[in-house]
Amino acid sequence: MTSLRGALSRALPALRASEDEADRVAYARDLWPREHLAVRAGHPAEHRPGAIAWPTSTSEVANLVRWGCAEGVPLIPFGAGSGVCAGIRPHGGAVVVDLKRMARVRRLDPEAPLVEVEAGHMGVPLERRLNRSGFTLGHFPSSILCSTVGGWIATRSAGQCSGMYGKIEDMTVALECVTGQGETVSFSRRTSGPDLVPLILGSEGTLAIVTSATFRLHPEPTTRAFGSWSFPTTERGWEAMRTIFQRGLRPAIARLYDPFDAMLARQRGGHSDLRETNGRERVPGRGGAALRAILGRPRALNDLLHSRAAARALGGALLVVVFEGSVESASQGLEQTRGIVEAMRGTWEGDAPARRWMERRYAVSYRQAPVFANGSFVDTFEVATRWSDLGRLYESVRRALGDHVFVMAHFSHAYPDGCCVYFSFAGSADAKEARDLGWDEACGRTYDRTWNAALAAAVEAGGTLAHHHGVGRSKAPRLPAELGVGIDVVRALMQAFDPKGILNPGNLVAGEATSTSTSTSTSTSTSTSTSTSTSIHVDRQSLLVSVEGGVDLASLERTLNDAGLTIAAVVPSPALSVAQWLAWGAPGSRDRWLDPVDHLVAGLDATLVDGRRISIRPAPRRAVGPDLVALLVGANGRFGLVERAWLRVHERGVPLPTSASFEHERDIALGPGEGALLDAIERCLAWRPPH
Ligand SMILES: Cc1cc2nc3c(=O)[nH]c(=O)nc-3n(C[C@H](O)[C@H](O)[C@H](O)COP(=O)(O)OP(=O)(O)OC[C@H]3O[C@@H](n4cnc5c(N)ncnc54)[C@H](O)[C@@H]3O)c2cc1C
């Protein structure tokens, strides 16, 4: 018995734990594709944990954390290990904490409706359980077969039906967690007053171990309506998608494929990603030599396949749309979408491509192995931005990737103010490097160059580095470039929640990377922005307004009205400044549960209480750690004040969508654990590491 397992067993004899070699190998990593290269090269699982523990209750988790805290043993929360960003990379002195034995449904309230479920519950059995009671969670990540509730929360996961139900953060009502000091704390979402739930969401196991989550539910749909359209260019397709969402339609699924991706989707009936191109019958040259040869010259291949002529020859971009709900709502949604898309000269392709996509929605993404076995690699990169910056982000990242690997893209999560671009890419070794270094090492070099270039391009183009896969250790070195001073705020949160730094150390925030001391606000698109005054800018394409904090709400609404827009809020006093209104939690704004796909605050610049400036770039949704907006909106100015905000605006006269009813207390009183953490955050924010 090694000292780690032995010490654990002595301290917590009832806790199931293991140090078997097979377990240590199995829990050594998640599904970060870079690790597959190491495995192929014959170096599997170099980062094995010292032990694995399987707690069955919140109190067992709390005891384990208190033990880890006292002994200085790092603990790595583990769901199902399907993360793709190296969120799990332990070492011999660490214990992996697998939550899967905590998989009970604690409460199903059909009146609200909501469910409280433990963090280790897997996706498919949860959805089946809910369906038996007539409900759906509405969360269908492609990894639903191999991911858990806790993993979804920790990474800010997105499901295939995000167009109607939103992402996991739009479903989460409350969380129960164990902090890094072993305190069990319940967190509730609230509209006025501080809301710490958005800080746990996306914290990737570094702030607390999530032990249960309460989710809002929807009635299980009784029917679906399907449609698909082709477009001569990808850009025309995303314009149609933008219009659909901005007119208030909420298709559960809306996916646009670029021409090459669309060609694959048509061939095999819908959903494609490069991982799927590797089904045995589809690998060119079967043995892999042809595939490696093609991927060895990615630039030529990309230039050829992404030309206008190729787009025409391939049949153009393809949009598939699925509405669900009642017979009436689904068919009405589809009819209205047809009207919009066909007026924008999308060509109706019938319902078959969308139906086939639905039938095969999970038949994808699990087919990487043949490509790796053939000596190449595949991976994906999901970024997001507002609509007015989408073209810039798409082109820059595609070009950056295209220098190194073969790339294609689809757009799978759309919102009224922006969209996620999901790049799939396949690459291989450079022939000269392979001669000098050996095949696997050369493949690894291509892989690293590809990611470095793509991440830099995404930051440069103003996008967010992750829409739903999270940051892990693979993107952590680039996170300061996106967050600026925000990275110090994330560190302060870590100190507040986990003062000893035992929870997944090294994840999300890389080593001692230093942040910039000034705001890293990205340049903003000007092409479609109307500058109505120096303090108010309307981004018409994204239906966002960028407004200075000092502007009063009456002036803001007047300016918007002149442009045919509105903030759609019944504000307590028109004389209130935007900054004050946001500090109070934006009272009178639309209830967030009415339209889970929408949100009020897309981004902001703020001054923290110690005078530092922070900039959170506008994006429809992001998965780059805790959402720092939560510290500035609804916290009564305790941590800082908003200088400028990007707020969602609505076209006057366009009906606002309303989802199924949700009856739940919006403003639950602050719990003692939450209060203590707010104090700790305040203290930790005031403390600054010496630079
Ligand atoms: C084939 C495939 C398809 C995918 N498709 C999607 C998709 O459609 N949408 C999507 O969003 N993602 C997708 N992913 C990524 C991945 O499935 C998600 O990130 C998922 O949310 C991870 O869940 P998990 O339970 O496997 O977490 P893990 O991989 O075990 O952990 C992920 C991170 O969360 C932390 N963590 C896990 N549980 C807890 C907990 N209880 N408390 C605190 N921290 C915790 C871990 O420490 C780690 O940092 C896909 C991955 C694969 C391999």
Side-chain angles (χ1 to χ4, degrees), residues 510-550:
E512 290 306 305
T514 50
S515 67
T516 47
S517 57
T518 54
S519 158
T520 56
S521 172
T522 52
S523 62
T524 54
S525 164
T526 48
S527 54
T528 57
S529 295
T530 5
S531 176
T532 47
S533 78
T534 51
S535 48
I536 304 176
H537 300 267
V538 175
D539 173 353
R540 187 96 211 186
Q541 236 180 318
S542 315
L543 287 183
L544 287 174
V545 63
S546 159
V547 55
E548 278 181 12

Side-chain angles (χ1 to χ4, degrees), residues 19 30 39 54 68 79 87 138 143 146 178 183 196 204 282 287 322 364 411 424 434 480 485 521 527 534 564 593 602:
E19 59 176 3
D30 59 9
V39 173
W54 290 272
S143 56
C146 60
V178 174
E183 300 293 334
L196 300 183
E204 304 194 22
R282 303 193 192 281
V322 182
V364 291
F411 303 72
S424 301
V485 165
S521 172
S527 54
T534 51
W593 305 107

Side-chain angles (χ1 to χ4, degrees), residues 30-31 77-84 87-88 99 119 141-143 146-148 150-152 154-155 157-158 204-205 208-210 365-366 468-469 504 507:
D30 59 9
L31 294 181
F78 190 102
S82 71
V84 288
I88 309 224
L99 277 298
S142 301
S143 56
C146 60
S147 57
T148 63
W152 298 342
T155 57
S157 170
E204 304 194 22
I209 300 185
V210 178
S365 304
Y366 298 97
H468 59 270
H469 283 168
N504 212 348
N507 199 32

